[in-house]
């Protein structure tokens, strides 16, 4: 096979059969939407980044500019 070979189009009706139970299960697994306050609390719950690791990463180089 080489990269010029065409792939067969995916037929979602035939190739990916789902039932009503499948759809219900996927809907039950959805995460509820977060409010802004909930998102901020989630971010605050994450451990702080390692300063030494961040300092060791290569950052932007060159002359600073403003738009």
């Amino acid at each position: 096979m080489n990269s010029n070979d065409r792939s067969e189009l995916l037929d979602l009706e035939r190739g990916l059969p789902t039932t009503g139970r499948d759809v219900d299960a996927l809907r039950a697994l959805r995460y509820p939407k977060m409010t802004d306050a909930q998102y901020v609390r989630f971010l605050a719950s994450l451990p702080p980044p390692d300063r030494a690791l961040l300092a060791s990463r290569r950052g932007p180089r060159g002359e600073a500019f403003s738009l």
Side-chain angles (χ1 to χ4, degrees):
M1 178 175 179
N2 67 43
S3 61
N4 293 329
D5 291 343
R6 293 203 159 225
S7 298
E8 183 180 327
L9 292 178
L10 180 61
D11 181 359
L12 295 178
E13 293 295 323
R14 179 182 53 84
L16 191 63
T18 56
T19 65
R21 287 183 58 202
D22 296 325
V23 173
D24 291 340
L26 290 171
R27 286 187 177 144
L29 292 174
R30 285 185 183 167
Y31 292 108
K33 293 180 182 176
M34 282 194 228
T35 65
D36 291 341
Q38 289 169 324
Y39 185 64
V40 169
R41 280 195 300 275
F42 165 72
L43 292 177
S45 73
L46 297 174
D50 180 16
R51 292 176 87 52
L53 177 65
L54 291 175
S56 70
R57 290 187 179 170
R58 185 175 176 187
R61 301 286 186 259
E63 287 292 318
F65 67 94
S66 61
L67 298 176

